[in-house]
Amino acid sequence: MKRKYVILCACLCTTVGFADDTPVRAAQSELGYALRTTPEYSRPGMACWFWQGDEFQPEGYKKFIDLHREHSAVTLLTTSIRHPVEVTDPAVHDQIKRAAEYAKANDMAIVMDLDVRLARQAFQDSHPDELQEIACLREIPLTASGEVQLSVDSIDLSDHYTFGSAKTYCTVSSRLLRAYAYSTGPDGIEPDSIEDITELCRVVQADSKGLNVAIPCDSSLSGKTACVIAAFTLFTPDVFAPHLIEFERNIMKQYSDVPLAGACKDEWGFPGRFKVNTDDLWYSDAMAHAYAERYPPRDLVPDLLLMAKKQRGREQERLAVINCYMELSWKRHAEVENKFYYGVKETFGQSALSATHPTWYPYPGELEAIKNGLDWWACERDLAQTDESTPFSARTSLTKKWISPLWYNMYYSTTIEAYQRELWSSVLAGGRINFHPLYPAPLADGNTAILRGDLMRAEQRIRLLNYISSEPVECPVLILFGHLGALNWVGDSFGKTGVEIANELWEAGYYTDLMPTSEIRSVTMDGGSGDVMEWMGIRSIRNRNHWPNNYSPSSVASAGAYDAVVFYRPEFDEGRTMPVLRHLSLDAKTALFRVGEWNLDLRGRPLEAASALNQRMRAVDEASCAREVIAYLKAKGVEPQTPGRMRGEKGFPDSVVPQSSGYCRLSDGTTILASGEKELMGDPIQKTIKVRGFEVTVDAIGVVGIQLREDGTIYALAAGGLKTFKSAAQSIELPERLDIAFFKEPGHEPRGIVHGYDGPIPDALLTLTKDWTRVRVPTPYVDPPASAN
């Protein structure tokens, strides 16, 4: 007898996207059990699709979609272009439209990259005076007579948006922005000696190859130094371009007739540089205008000299102008990101997804500071998204910031074994993978490699957990790093964000969130169910012991409550921190620690509230901070979760990830056991644990997720290869192992999911609910047989 199967898929809702969570009923199966599909709009399976030449051939998009339809449970394809075309080309639009329609017909959806960097020529044609510039400051000694010449080579940068493109972020033109002469001493430039000599200079060359400037010398310049500020215009839109946001909106409007599930803006910021050079500073006339408007009476061009070169007696002022420059930059990056986010909603509907990740270099340090100002937490997303080896402390904090049920990490490697480690470590920290093809490898080979074997089947087994909870992993510790301090290359905190302390805490099993101090907003009180904190965009009820009788996960308290908060190098933070600090310092439930000084405000001036701020916190040094926090948590009775281990990825800085076997707690009280240390599909789990004070014994494979009611009966259960579940209140014995999930959706009766099983639903499961949905399991990809000659 033929059985009917469904795939639970984001695209099965009535509109493409995520908002419609109304269940869609299918016909009754021949077994008599309802086949009901509910869109996993908040927890999709995700994979990356990069278009090259093949996808632009007639029906060239079908192969990738067909492969993932059959050999994965992916529902969303975050899609970008790696080919010398632009998204504004009508032919490109038409091919993407055909692909989106085909994906929708096959129960998948495309989230298309519509970033302006995929339309750089179109932007330049429309707005030739709004391209990004970079100001390069170069010095040359001056003489008593004659002429000196200074040559500055052009700039050529690239990133993933230029892969397969006809042009990099190459220099389009150059110009002399300004030239200064000055005397120097042991403490830097003598400020009173600075003079503008731009009018004296003769431009010998100013083109795409470089800038050459001749400076006539006389006795008045003898012994002085000249600094030439060469401005190179690059082939990419200016971050501060007046028409940038409008141009991206128009791209979206061009695609408004395409059934997309959303749009991507990936790794936004200034063009990436893999070496910090503060003699090369981002600049444009539009940026200079914004700078003068925000920080009157400052002028950006002379401030570039102050930022790049030490000047005697102006140390405080130098700190201040760098703070202003970097604050202006990261806030503009976030503005562009968030305008894109709301453009996605306006164009494709409130259910549409804005993807992918704001992270570029996957570590909150110096390179990321220069690229995007560490704006990760300010870039609005419905789903928290990161990439590569981003520290887990940043991944988990982004779920809290955006009220995201999970975080998704775009991950690639050269081996399936590496994907296995990432997959199982992620589930133990509340995360999933956005599957990038194997890399480095030819994309065609990488696409099929992740579909071979059991990787996709293991991912689908883990996704059983998605049905029973939409809450993030519990983190008892929060590290708030000084945002401006981490961005200021003159101070001693440049690129330092507390990841090392977070690593120590994760290694001991004490999960820790990491955020910048700029995320602090306000604190309010709620007299009903305890103190309610509305800071960092998180609304968290702090009464850990409150458990409602009906155990509705959405109403469970304790979500987001922190037992310890560490203010890490908070120098330059200002008064908006005070309300939060006053609130926390009066709350015995949260211990406050401080690493580093906190004496100056954004302008480098003494912080009036410094003494009050510092008195409210326990000062610790960097080396002992984690140990002191752990000692406090142990004394308070906070139990650790899965211990971590240091891991390096692809040459990026090491950070700690959970081991691939252990357990974690979600903020709604869900207990998760997971193990994939040895087997890709998961290791045997035969354990007795306590959940809400009740002893529970399970025999399963790979994953188990449990929520119990107050009386110890099952509220929700997910398990791979379940054989046995036993508690004092309830038992399940299955004749054979099954991948199942049992849960209750708001407004509906309890129901169940069973993966890859076409036999009669066992009686032990029917006692939980009569409503079971069968979900097919993807088949591993195998090479087609060779054609006969």
Side-chain angles (χ1 to χ4, degrees):
M1 182 166 53
K2 185 178 179 181
R3 310 298 186 191
K4 294 184 180 179
Y5 287 83
V6 297
I7 299 179
L8 297 191
C9 166
C11 307
L12 292 176
C13 46
T14 56
T15 60
V16 174
F18 303 128
D20 185 359
D21 58 357
T22 304
V24 181
R25 286 195 174 273
Q28 295 292 109
S29 77
E30 296 174 13
L31 293 174
Y33 306 120
L35 290 176
R36 184 174 67 191
T37 64
T38 301
E40 294 178 89
Y41 63 94
S42 60
R43 300 172 293 280
M46 297 174 69
C48 306
W49 187 10
F50 300 109
W51 282 32
Q52 296 185 305
D54 288 348
E55 277 79 8
F56 288 97
Q57 298 301 312
E59 299 189 342
Y61 48 81
K62 287 188 174 181
K63 180 178 179 181
F64 187 94
I65 293 172
D66 291 346
L67 283 170
H68 282 75
R69 179 192 63 212
E70 294 300 322
H71 307 298
S72 82
V74 165
T75 55
L76 281 183
L77 301 172
T78 55
T79 307
S80 190
I81 295 173
R82 302 290 187 265
H83 192 61
V85 297
E86 297 206 331
V87 290
T88 49
D89 295 346
V92 173
H93 162 276
D94 293 347
Q95 187 76 342
I96 290 172
K97 183 176 182 179
R98 287 188 283 267
E101 291 170 344
Y102 187 73
K104 183 179 180 181
N106 284 275
D107 296 333
M108 284 182 277
I110 290 175
V111 183
M112 189 68 210
D113 196 332
L114 300 180
D115 187 285
V116 67
R117 288 166 292 177
L118 290 176
R120 288 178 289 143
Q121 187 62 60
F123 184 88
Q124 183 186 27
D125 292 344
S126 298
H127 308 288
D129 298 326
E130 296 187 18
L131 298 184
Q132 182 66 57
E133 289 185 285
I134 186 168
C136 301
L137 289 80
R138 300 292 185 267
E139 291 183 321
I140 187 171
L142 298 174
T143 60
S145 62
E147 186 179 77
V148 299
Q149 285 197 15
L150 177 66
S151 293
V152 187
D153 292 334
S154 63
I155 301 289
D156 191 351
L157 301 172
S158 63
D159 64 14
H160 61 306
Y161 272 99
T162 65
F163 290 175
S165 172
K167 292 177 72 172
T168 59
Y169 304 128
C170 56
T171 295
V172 175
S173 62
S174 60
R175 62 175 172 138
L176 173 61
L177 185 62
R178 198 75 54 88
Y180 294 100
Y182 44 74
S183 300
T184 61
D187 296 322
I189 296 172
E190 293 293 334
D192 293 339
S193 72
I194 299 174
E195 59 178 312
D196 187 333
I197 61 169
T198 308
E199 294 299 321
L200 296 177
C201 297
R202 178 171 58 89
V203 176
V204 178
Q205 175 193 8
D207 55 28
S208 62
K209 295 181 180 179
L211 180 76
N212 183 284
V213 175
I215 306 171
C217 300
D218 58 26
S219 58
S220 67
L221 297 176
S222 179
K224 292 189 175 183
T225 298
C227 180
V228 169
I229 306 180
F232 294 104
T233 300
L234 305 182
F235 183 54
T236 192
D238 173 20
V239 168
F240 286 82
H243 292 95
L244 170 62
I245 291 169
E246 177 189 2
F247 190 88
E248 287 197 316
R249 288 291 181 95
N250 287 335
I251 295 176
M252 294 183 208
K253 289 178 183 177
Q254 182 182 351
Y255 282 81
S256 61
D257 65 327
V258 179
L260 296 174
C264 299
K265 173 178 277 294
D266 191 49
E267 300 182 4
W268 174 253
F270 295 120
R273 293 182 286 165
F274 287 96
K275 183 179 180 181
V276 174
N277 181 357
T278 55
D279 285 338
D280 294 350
L281 299 172
W282 296 108
Y283 176 84
S284 70
D285 289 343
M287 183 184 193
H289 176 76
Y291 183 85
E293 195 172 63
R294 188 176 183 91
Y295 309 109
R298 306 302 308 191
D299 182 343
L300 183 54
V301 177
D303 278 356
L304 291 175
L305 179 64
L306 178 58
M307 286 187 264
K309 307 295 181 183
K310 181 181 178 182
Q311 298 182 25
R312 183 179 61 83
R314 300 183 71 185
E315 291 80 11
Q316 177 181 314
E317 186 180 359
R318 189 182 185 203
L319 285 171
V321 297
I322 293 173
N323 282 341
C324 293
Y325 176 81
M326 296 302 288
E327 180 185 60
L328 181 75
S329 297
W330 81 255
K331 287 187 174 181
R332 174 59 175 178
H333 292 314
E335 178 189 12
V336 173
E337 286 263 19
N338 293 335
K339 292 292 187 181
F340 188 91
Y341 172 90
Y342 288 107
V344 170
K345 301 295 184 181
E346 291 174 12
T347 306
F348 302 108
Q350 291 303 305
S351 64
L353 178 71
S354 180
T356 43
H357 46 271
T359 55
W360 172 63
Y361 191 81
Y363 188 87
E366 294 180 1
L367 294 178
E368 201 72 352
I370 298 299
K371 163 77 173 179
N372 54 38
L374 292 170
D375 66 347
W376 303 354
W377 296 265
C379 302
E380 191 153 358
R381 297 288 193 273
D382 297 305
L383 294 172
Q385 296 164 75
T386 59
D387 74 325
E388 295 167 324
S389 59
T390 301
F392 275 52
S393 51
R395 304 184 196 189
T396 56
S397 70
L398 286 165
T399 63
K400 314 297 177 23
K401 174 62 193 286
W402 298 121
I403 322 296
S404 175
L406 299 165
W407 51 259
Y408 284 82
N409 190 63
M410 185 185 289
Y411 183 80
Y412 62 85
S413 188
T414 57
T415 68
I416 295 299
E417 290 74 21
Y419 284 83
Q420 177 179 347
R421 291 191 297 270
E422 178 75 9
L423 182 71
W424 289 100
S425 291
S426 295
V427 71
L428 284 165
R432 304 289 186 268
I433 294 179
N434 180 3
F435 288 90
H436 187 294
L438 258 70
Y439 182 82
L443 277 180
D445 296 339
N447 287 335
T448 55
I450 64 171
L451 303 178
R452 300 173 187 271
D454 287 330
L455 180 62
M456 292 293 111
R457 294 160 68 93
E459 193 266 346
Q460 190 185 33
R461 171 170 279 176
I462 287 169
R463 283 175 62 194
L464 288 165
L465 299 171
N466 296 4
Y467 298 109
I468 70 169
S469 177
S470 59
E471 296 297 319
V473 73
E474 182 180 285
C475 294
V477 183
L478 169 67
I479 295 176
L480 284 166
F481 67 86
H483 196 169
L484 287 177
L487 303 182
N488 195 309
W489 59 82
V490 173
D492 62 1
S493 296
F494 182 46
K496 296 178 180 178
T497 54
V499 175
E500 293 80 4
I501 294 173
N503 281 340
E504 289 187 62
L505 291 162
W506 277 85
E507 198 165 23
Y510 290 103
Y511 290 9
T512 299
D513 288 334
L514 180 76
M515 285 187 180
T517 51
S518 56
E519 286 302 310
I520 296 174
R521 293 181 181 174
S522 64
V523 175
T524 61
M525 301 291 290
D526 183 329
S529 49
D531 299 339
V532 177
M533 300 167 57
E534 293 190 53
W535 53 298
M536 301 160 294
I538 304 169
R539 186 176 188 274
S540 56
I541 305 171
R542 301 187 49 75
N543 180 1
R544 285 181 175 277
N545 298 316
H546 175 67
W547 296 90
N549 289 332
N550 62 357
Y551 197 78
S552 170
S554 62
S555 66
V556 173
S558 85
Y562 294 107
D563 294 287
V565 175
V566 178
F567 286 82
Y568 178 82
R569 295 176 176 259
E571 199 78 286
F572 307 130
D573 205 285
E574 299 197 80
R576 60 184 166 185
T577 304
M578 280 299 295
V580 173
L581 205 52
R582 289 194 189 100
H583 178 77
L584 289 176
S585 64
L586 297 173
D587 182 1
K589 297 173 183 174
T590 303
L592 304 182
F593 298 83
R594 174 175 57 81
V595 174
E597 297 302 317
W598 199 350
N599 298 315
L600 303 176
D601 67 8
L602 178 145
R603 300 298 180 103
R605 301 168 300 202
L607 186 65
E608 293 181 7
S611 59
L613 290 169
N614 292 325
Q615 286 174 11
R616 295 174 185 272
M617 294 177 285
R618 186 185 311 176
V620 294
D621 62 46
E622 201 146 348
S624 65
C625 179
R627 291 196 301 272
E628 295 209 28
V629 172
I630 290 170
Y632 169 79
L633 295 174
K634 287 182 176 179
K636 193 177 179 182
V638 178
E639 294 184 6
Q641 301 178 72
T642 302
R645 57 190 170 200
M646 193 70 76
R647 187 184 73 183
E649 286 278 354
K650 297 173 281 292
F652 298 123
D654 293 355
S655 61
V656 170
V657 305
Q659 296 178 18
S660 301
S661 180
Y663 92 103
C664 67
R665 299 180 297 272
L666 304 187
S667 58
D668 62 2
T670 302
T671 297
I672 291 176
L673 301 173
S675 185
E677 194 80 36
K678 298 176 181 177
E679 298 295 331
L680 179 53
M681 282 295 290
D683 305 324
I685 298 175
Q686 297 171 335
K687 289 182 179 288
T688 298
I689 60 171
K690 282 199 171 181
V691 180
R692 293 197 71 189
F694 295 95
E695 205 168 77
V696 172
T697 299
V698 292
D699 180 355
I701 297 175
V703 291
V704 178
I706 305 169
Q707 292 179 8
L708 297 182
R709 295 185 178 88
E710 282 193 336
D711 62 1
T713 57
I714 299 171
Y715 180 82
L717 174 66
L722 180 66
K723 190 71 170 64
T724 303
F725 174 96
K726 291 181 179 179
S727 70
Q730 203 166 4
S731 293
I732 298 173
E733 290 278 356
L734 298 181
E736 59 182 293
R737 294 187 181 276
L738 294 178
D739 285 10
I740 66 103
F742 166 73
F743 55 99
K744 184 181 185 303
E745 297 171 303
H748 296 284
E749 292 299 312
R751 70 188 194 94
I753 301 289
V754 60
H755 280 182
Y757 177 70
D758 62 359
I761 300 297
D763 291 341
L765 296 182
L766 292 174
T767 61
L768 298 175
T769 179
K770 298 296 193 292
D771 187 356
W772 285 88
T773 300
R774 301 171 186 273
V775 178
R776 78 166 181 86
V777 173
T779 58
Y781 174 81
V782 294
D783 290 321
S787 301
N789 292 326

XYZ file of all heavy atoms in Angstrom, residues 565-612:
388
model
N 27.082 39.774 35.350
C 27.352 40.667 34.228
C 28.764 41.218 34.398
O 29.111 41.735 35.464
C 26.336 41.817 34.151
C 26.720 42.800 33.050
C 24.928 41.280 33.916
N 29.570 41.084 33.359
C 30.945 41.585 33.382
C 31.038 42.790 32.451
O 30.748 42.672 31.247
C 31.941 40.503 32.917
C 33.363 41.076 32.895
C 31.870 39.275 33.804
N 31.396 43.939 33.000
C 31.682 45.114 32.177
C 33.171 45.054 31.834
O 34.026 45.205 32.709
C 31.348 46.398 32.934
C 29.870 46.650 33.040
C 29.112 46.025 34.017
C 29.230 47.496 32.162
C 27.753 46.251 34.112
C 27.864 47.724 32.244
C 27.124 47.099 33.226
N 33.445 44.831 30.551
C 34.813 44.581 30.110
C 35.361 45.812 29.400
O 34.841 46.226 28.362
C 34.840 43.372 29.180
C 36.209 43.051 28.635
C 37.127 42.326 29.394
C 36.591 43.485 27.370
C 38.387 42.041 28.898
C 37.851 43.195 26.869
C 38.747 42.473 27.644
O 39.996 42.197 27.156
N 36.395 46.411 29.993
C 37.046 47.586 29.421
C 36.014 48.615 28.937
O 35.963 48.960 27.745
C 37.978 47.182 28.277
C 39.153 46.314 28.740
C 39.990 45.860 27.555
N 41.162 45.113 27.985
C 42.401 45.626 28.054
N 42.622 46.889 27.725
N 43.419 44.873 28.444
N 35.182 49.117 29.836
C 34.062 49.971 29.413
C 34.428 51.435 29.198
O 33.534 52.276 29.083
C 33.089 49.828 30.581
C 33.985 49.614 31.768
C 35.154 48.812 31.277
N 35.726 51.759 29.140
C 36.148 53.136 28.935
C 35.432 53.761 27.738
O 35.176 53.095 26.739
C 37.656 53.187 28.699
C 38.273 54.567 28.922
C 38.451 54.890 30.401
O 37.432 55.175 31.069
O 39.591 54.827 30.895
N 35.085 55.028 27.865
C 34.394 55.849 26.864
C 32.890 55.627 26.846
O 32.183 56.299 26.110
C 34.945 55.638 25.442
C 36.428 55.808 25.324
C 37.200 54.834 24.700
C 37.058 56.930 25.827
C 38.576 54.981 24.586
C 38.434 57.093 25.713
C 39.194 56.108 25.099
N 32.399 54.666 27.640
C 30.951 54.534 27.725
C 30.408 55.701 28.535
O 31.086 56.255 29.383
C 30.557 53.204 28.372
C 29.169 52.778 27.947
O 28.221 53.369 28.455
O 29.058 51.883 27.102
N 29.146 56.044 28.292
C 28.625 57.264 28.915
C 27.421 56.990 29.796
O 27.109 55.860 30.135
C 28.303 58.285 27.830
C 29.554 58.673 27.037
C 29.369 59.953 26.256
O 29.473 61.021 26.866
O 29.114 59.857 25.051
N 26.707 58.034 30.103
C 25.701 57.999 31.157
C 24.524 57.083 30.936
O 23.835 56.754 31.893
N 24.274 56.653 29.699
C 23.096 55.812 29.492
C 23.235 54.454 30.184
O 22.276 53.718 30.331
C 22.842 55.613 27.999
C 23.976 54.947 27.258
C 23.677 54.890 25.778
N 24.872 54.559 25.020
C 24.916 54.545 23.694
N 23.843 54.848 23.010
N 26.022 54.236 23.061
N 24.459 54.129 30.573
C 24.677 52.895 31.312
C 24.154 52.995 32.747
O 23.813 51.986 33.353
C 26.177 52.576 31.356
O 26.666 52.515 30.022
C 26.450 51.257 32.030
N 24.082 54.210 33.258
C 23.773 54.398 34.678
C 22.447 53.780 35.120
O 22.394 53.103 36.151
C 23.813 55.884 35.034
C 25.217 56.415 35.260
S 26.050 55.574 36.628
C 25.012 56.092 38.003
N 21.328 53.980 34.383
C 20.067 53.382 34.851
C 20.140 51.872 34.985
O 19.641 51.299 35.951
C 19.055 53.799 33.776
C 19.641 55.013 33.158
C 21.126 54.804 33.188
N 20.787 51.221 34.032
C 20.932 49.768 34.100
C 21.766 49.380 35.298
O 21.445 48.460 36.056
C 21.580 49.237 32.803
C 21.900 47.764 32.937
C 20.655 49.466 31.636
N 22.868 50.097 35.477
C 23.782 49.763 36.556
C 23.120 49.948 37.919
O 23.279 49.137 38.830
C 25.034 50.626 36.441
C 26.296 50.057 37.073
C 26.563 48.649 36.594
C 27.479 50.958 36.760
N 22.397 51.036 38.078
C 21.707 51.262 39.352
C 20.726 50.131 39.628
O 20.603 49.643 40.740
C 20.958 52.601 39.317
C 21.860 53.828 39.349
C 21.053 55.066 39.660
N 21.844 56.269 39.500
C 21.802 57.061 38.435
N 20.996 56.767 37.436
N 22.555 58.128 38.376
N 20.011 49.727 38.579
C 19.021 48.664 38.738
C 19.698 47.349 39.130
O 19.293 46.687 40.076
C 18.259 48.491 37.428
C 17.250 47.381 37.462
N 16.035 47.506 38.074
C 17.298 46.124 36.964
C 15.362 46.367 37.945
N 16.111 45.526 37.272
N 20.751 47.005 38.384
C 21.414 45.736 38.640
C 22.109 45.711 39.992
O 22.139 44.683 40.667
C 22.431 45.450 37.534
C 21.851 45.101 36.160
C 22.978 44.943 35.154
C 21.014 43.841 36.209
N 22.668 46.845 40.382
C 23.421 46.858 41.629
C 22.522 46.685 42.839
O 22.968 46.267 43.905
C 24.206 48.167 41.751
O 23.309 49.260 41.821
N 21.231 46.999 42.673
C 20.282 46.826 43.759
C 19.650 45.442 43.737
O 18.865 45.096 44.617
C 19.184 47.894 43.663
C 19.672 49.344 43.825
C 18.525 50.310 43.546
C 20.248 49.570 45.202
N 19.983 44.676 42.729
C 19.381 43.359 42.546
C 20.394 42.289 42.959
O 21.385 42.049 42.281
C 19.003 43.179 41.064
C 18.321 41.851 40.800
O 18.130 41.083 41.766
O 17.971 41.595 39.647
N 20.124 41.660 44.075
C 21.067 40.670 44.602
C 21.196 39.454 43.696
O 22.114 38.650 43.872
C 20.634 40.234 45.999
N 20.287 39.313 42.731
C 20.344 38.145 41.856
C 21.454 38.242 40.809
O 21.817 37.257 40.184
C 18.998 37.970 41.137
C 17.832 37.688 42.077
C 16.526 37.709 41.311
C 15.341 37.513 42.257
N 14.056 37.679 41.553
N 21.946 39.433 40.569
C 22.953 39.640 39.537
C 24.208 40.253 40.129
O 24.153 41.329 40.723
C 22.414 40.559 38.426
O 21.228 39.987 37.879
C 23.440 40.732 37.320
N 25.332 39.567 39.961
C 26.616 40.097 40.415
C 27.263 40.892 39.290
O 27.198 40.497 38.123
C 27.532 38.957 40.840
N 27.884 42.005 39.632
C 28.521 42.877 38.653
C 30.034 42.836 38.822
O 30.552 43.004 39.928
C 28.039 44.321 38.811
C 26.531 44.559 38.724
C 26.235 46.039 38.856
C 25.977 44.022 37.415
N 30.721 42.621 37.717
C 32.175 42.603 37.711
C 32.662 43.642 36.692
O 31.969 43.939 35.719
C 32.704 41.219 37.313
C 32.304 40.117 38.252
C 31.062 39.497 38.150
C 33.180 39.666 39.238
C 30.693 38.470 39.014
C 32.822 38.640 40.096
C 31.573 38.042 39.990
N 33.852 44.158 36.935
C 34.440 45.110 35.981
C 35.898 44.761 35.740
O 36.668 44.558 36.676
C 34.331 46.540 36.504
C 35.049 47.564 35.611
C 34.829 48.986 36.098
N 35.244 49.172 37.471
C 36.493 49.372 37.875
N 37.485 49.359 36.996
N 36.777 49.548 39.157
N 36.256 44.718 34.454
C 37.647 44.547 34.045
C 38.070 45.813 33.314
O 37.439 46.196 32.323
C 37.810 43.335 33.108
C 39.238 43.254 32.582
C 37.436 42.050 33.824
N 39.107 46.477 33.776
C 39.584 47.680 33.116
C 39.011 48.945 33.705
O 38.072 48.929 34.512
N 39.574 50.062 33.284
C 39.180 51.358 33.827
C 37.896 51.870 33.189
O 37.529 51.482 32.093
C 40.312 52.376 33.608
C 41.603 52.018 34.328
C 41.401 51.883 35.823
O 40.689 52.726 36.414
O 41.933 50.925 36.404
N 37.242 52.768 33.925
C 36.026 53.406 33.423
C 36.032 54.835 33.947
O 35.312 55.185 34.871
C 34.802 52.655 33.917
C 33.568 52.943 33.112
C 33.386 53.898 32.161
C 32.329 52.234 33.183
N 32.129 53.836 31.628
C 31.455 52.823 32.243
C 31.883 51.163 33.943
C 30.151 52.371 32.063
C 30.591 50.720 33.763
C 29.727 51.313 32.833
N 36.847 55.668 33.335
C 37.044 57.019 33.837
C 36.777 58.114 32.814
O 36.691 59.285 33.185
C 38.493 57.177 34.337
C 38.798 56.235 35.491
O 38.007 56.104 36.422
N 39.940 55.559 35.416
N 36.659 57.751 31.504
C 36.532 58.758 30.462
C 35.249 58.574 29.661
O 34.764 57.458 29.489
C 37.732 58.683 29.506
C 39.129 58.844 30.127
C 40.193 58.649 29.067
C 39.271 60.197 30.802
N 34.720 59.697 29.150
C 33.546 59.617 28.291
C 33.983 59.586 26.829
O 35.178 59.513 26.518
C 32.576 60.765 28.566
C 33.137 62.138 28.169
O 34.220 62.190 27.542
O 32.493 63.158 28.487
N 33.011 59.663 25.916
C 33.285 59.547 24.489
C 34.309 60.574 24.022
O 35.157 60.298 23.175
C 31.979 59.712 23.709
C 32.057 59.668 22.179
C 30.813 58.997 21.626
C 32.183 61.074 21.586
N 34.264 61.790 24.567
C 35.174 62.852 24.148
C 36.514 62.802 24.883
O 37.321 63.712 24.764
C 34.516 64.208 24.366
C 33.210 64.420 23.595
C 33.412 64.362 22.090
N 32.181 64.567 21.355
C 31.858 65.708 20.750
N 32.682 66.729 20.794
N 30.719 65.820 20.095
N 36.748 61.725 25.649
C 38.003 61.609 26.372
C 38.073 62.458 27.621
O 39.140 62.618 28.214
N 36.917 62.987 28.064
C 36.877 63.823 29.256
C 36.602 62.962 30.475
O 36.002 61.888 30.357
C 35.778 64.881 29.117
C 35.951 65.804 27.919
C 34.722 66.615 27.649
N 33.560 65.785 27.374
C 32.475 66.206 26.702
N 32.425 67.440 26.229
N 31.459 65.398 26.504
N 37.010 63.421 31.663
C 36.710 62.656 32.885
C 35.207 62.405 33.013
O 34.397 63.304 32.787
C 37.227 63.562 34.000
C 38.287 64.386 33.354
C 37.821 64.624 31.948
N 34.858 61.189 33.332
C 33.453 60.806 33.473
C 33.000 61.140 34.882
O 33.499 60.580 35.860
C 33.299 59.305 33.195
C 31.887 58.729 33.160
C 31.088 59.318 32.004
C 31.946 57.215 33.013
N 32.071 62.070 34.994
C 31.659 62.560 36.305
C 31.124 61.450 37.185
O 31.314 61.450 38.404
C 30.602 63.661 36.137
C 31.135 64.926 35.484
C 30.068 65.987 35.353
O 28.953 65.777 35.894
O 30.334 67.033 34.734
N 30.439 60.505 36.577
C 29.812 59.440 37.372
C 30.753 58.268 37.612
O 30.339 57.229 38.122
C 28.555 58.942 36.666
N 32.049 58.432 37.263
C 32.976 57.298 37.314
C 33.043 56.653 38.679
O 32.987 55.427 38.811
C 34.367 57.740 36.877
N 33.162 57.469 39.725
C 33.316 56.880 41.056
C 32.083 56.094 41.447
O 32.177 55.002 42.006
C 33.596 57.975 42.087
O 32.530 58.917 42.108
N 30.897 56.633 41.132
C 29.662 55.914 41.456
C 29.558 54.629 40.648
O 29.168 53.573 41.166
C 28.455 56.804 41.185
